[in-house]
Amino acid sequence: MNRASADEPRWLNDEEQRTWQAYLHATTLLDDHLDRQLQRDAGMPHIYYGLLVKLAAAPQRRLRMTELAMESKITRSRLSHAIARLEKNGWVRREECPSDKRGQFAVLTDAGYEVLRRTAPGHVTAVRQALFDRLTPEQQKSLGEIMEIIAEGLQPKEAGADLPWLR
C-alpha cells in the first residue's frame, strides 16, 4: 500500500451511502415525530420526557445530577437547564447531596410522576406506530442487535475519555 492511499479516507460505497442517508432521514423524522407528540400531549420536548422516565425508574425516583447526565448522554450544562425547566413546572426538584456538598440529586415529584403516567400511553403508541408496527419481529430483533453493537462501539472504556456528559 502506498503512502497516498493510506492517507485517503475510506469513502462510503454506493450501498453504504444509501444506508447512511436512510438512517439520517429516518432518525430525523422519528425524533421530530416523537418530539411533536410529546409537545402536543404534555408540553415538553422528548429529552425532558426521557429525563422523567429515568428518574421514575431510579430508586426513590432520584438520581445524582452527574449520573442523570451520563445516563441521558447530555452535557451537565444542558441537563441543568432542562432540570430548571422541569422544576419550574413542579415536575422535578433538586436536593443537596449530604455526602458531597457540591453534588445534587434530581428528584421526580408526585406531579412529575403523574404527568409521566398520563403521557406514557400516548408516547408508547407513537413509538409503536412509528417504529415497531412497521417492522417484522425479525427486523425488530435485528434492529435491536445492530443498535446495541453501535452503542457499545461508541462507549469509550478508557478513563479520562472526552464525553459530553462529563463536561
Side-chain angles (χ1 to χ4, degrees), residues 35 38-39 42-46 48-49 52 86 91 115-116 119:
D35 208 52
L38 287 165
Q39 287 287 358
M44 76 175 93
H46 196 210
Y48 290 12
Y49 180 84
L52 296 181
L86 292 168
W91 299 342
V115 165
L116 192 57
T119 306

Side-chain angles (χ1 to χ4, degrees), residues 53-153:
V53 167
K54 288 185 185 327
L55 289 172
Q60 300 173 332
R61 300 191 318 210
R62 67 189 302 138
L63 284 171
R64 284 186 64 119
M65 293 284 283
T66 52
E67 187 176 348
L68 185 55
M70 189 178 347
E71 286 191 18
S72 303
K73 307 297 186 253
I74 60 176
T75 64
R76 290 186 283 194
S77 172
R78 187 171 183 199
L79 175 64
S80 185
H81 176 74
I83 293 297
R85 297 286 304 271
L86 292 168
E87 280 181 303
K88 188 174 178 183
N89 291 338
W91 299 342
V92 171
R93 72 175 181 275
R94 291 182 216 222
E95 291 180 355
E96 299 302 318
C97 178
S99 63
D100 176 4
K101 297 301 177 197
R102 294 179 305 151
Q104 286 187 322
F105 286 98
V107 182
L108 182 67
T109 65
D110 290 341
Y113 187 80
E114 180 58 26
V115 165
L116 192 57
R117 190 193 63 73
R118 283 193 324 265
T119 306
H123 184 63
V124 76
T125 297
V127 169
R128 182 168 295 290
Q129 289 173 344
L131 184 66
F132 293 104
D133 290 351
R134 298 173 187 275
L135 302 174
T136 66
E138 295 79 22
Q139 290 170 324
Q140 291 175 24
K141 184 174 189 268
S142 292
L143 180 62
E145 290 168 352
I146 290 165
M147 292 294 105
E148 286 173 3
I149 290 167
I150 291 169
E152 176 149 337

